[in-house]
Amino acid sequence: MAKKTYDLLFKLLLIGDSGVGKTCVLFRFSDDAFNTTFISTIGIDFKIKTVELQGKKIKLQIWDTAGQERFHTITTSYYRGAMGIMLVYDITNGKSFENISKWLRNIDEHANEDVERMLLGNKCDMDDKRVVPKGKGEQIAREHGIRFFETSAKANINIEKAFLTLAEDILRKPLKLHIVSHPKYLGPKDFEGRCCSETSL
């Protein structure tokens, strides 16, 4: 068996309405790329990126979900086991912000109780087309006790900072919560490099 090249694996989820830029956010972070011709995600897709935090190599498995209603039943099963969830809205699309409350309810219904959440107001490079004031994003984040960033995948604003902050928040949780989130981890020793295949996630 090949030697494991990371210490911890965190499963993250991007959720939000279709068209808010979830795939662009993911590609900017994972590949440092921006593509204006992305088609809507069909069902589910994911990327892997390994980062180093507090002396540990952490593999981030980031799932990009479809925002369309018809894929809802597919994507809800991916909430289970997610250790961090980013809720994304588009600052130029008021409806996508209004629907954040719906996405928050989905997390309450389908995700682990201890999941870390973060709110992203995406496309902040398009300030001339803004319809959602930054203060509104800050307010809903305060109400739910979650972090908030305005981001731009196109201009590469706060993308890496958001992902690393979310990973750090997960890392700060007690070790036992990591084990609960991934039942295949049998105990702390598994975090020292003796873990079964990640394909079982």
Side-chain angles (χ1 to χ4, degrees), residues 20-64:
V20 297
K22 298 186 297 295
T23 301
C24 291
V25 165
L26 175 56
F27 270 79
R28 173 59 79 185
F29 178 65
S30 64
D31 300 356
D32 195 20
F34 180 78
N35 187 338
T36 56
T37 58
F38 279 126
I39 57 167
S40 290
T41 302
I42 306 299
I44 207 101
D45 195 10
F46 77 94
K47 284 278 192 180
I48 295 276
K49 182 162 180 173
T50 302
V51 298
E52 192 155 324
L53 290 172
Q54 299 176 25
K56 291 187 182 294
K57 281 195 173 163
I58 300 170
K59 182 175 277 195
L60 303 178
Q61 186 186 64
I62 311 159
W63 293 84
D64 176 20

Side-chain angles (χ1 to χ4, degrees), residues 44-197:
I44 207 101
D45 195 10
F46 77 94
K47 284 278 192 180
I48 295 276
K49 182 162 180 173
T50 302
V51 298
E52 192 155 324
L53 290 172
Q54 299 176 25
K56 291 187 182 294
K57 281 195 173 163
I58 300 170
K59 182 175 277 195
L60 303 178
Q61 186 186 64
I62 311 159
W63 293 84
D64 176 20
T65 62
Q68 299 100 319
E69 200 65 44
R70 68 182 186 276
F71 295 118
H72 186 64
T73 52
I74 302 172
T75 57
T76 50
S77 61
Y78 285 86
Y79 284 76
R80 285 285 168 217
M83 301 163 85
I85 297 179
M86 288 179 160
L87 299 101
V88 188
Y89 69 90
D90 173 355
I91 69 155
T92 71
N93 180 337
K95 184 69 176 169
S96 73
F97 179 75
E98 290 168 23
N99 284 338
I100 286 296
S101 55
K102 177 193 79 173
W103 292 107
L104 283 162
R105 283 196 301 275
N106 284 348
I107 293 174
D108 290 340
E109 289 171 19
H110 302 293
N112 294 343
E113 195 179 323
D114 62 315
V115 70
E116 281 292 333
R117 300 168 299 164
M118 177 178 281
L119 181 65
L120 300 184
N122 196 37
K123 306 188 185 179
C124 70
D125 59 289
M126 299 171 68
D127 211 45
D128 56 326
K129 295 181 180 174
R130 176 191 290 272
V131 296
V132 183
K134 187 176 183 180
K136 277 196 166 185
E138 291 170 336
Q139 181 183 351
I140 197 169
R142 266 196 312 274
E143 287 170 2
H144 291 274
I146 60 179
R147 291 188 189 270
F148 169 71
F149 289 99
E150 283 204 337
T151 57
S152 166
K154 184 176 183 180
N156 198 9
I157 298 169
N158 283 338
I159 299 293
E160 185 172 45
K161 185 176 182 181
F163 278 98
L164 294 184
T165 300
L166 186 59
E168 283 171 351
D169 287 345
I170 296 167
L171 191 57
R172 273 195 286 270
K173 285 180 176 290
L175 183 63
K176 65 183 177 69
L177 294 183
H178 297 308
I179 297 166
V180 169
S181 296
H182 292 284
K184 71 187 182 65
Y185 292 125
L186 302 177
K189 286 185 178 177
D190 290 299
F191 283 86
E192 294 164 11
R194 301 211 306 273
C195 170
C196 36
S197 166

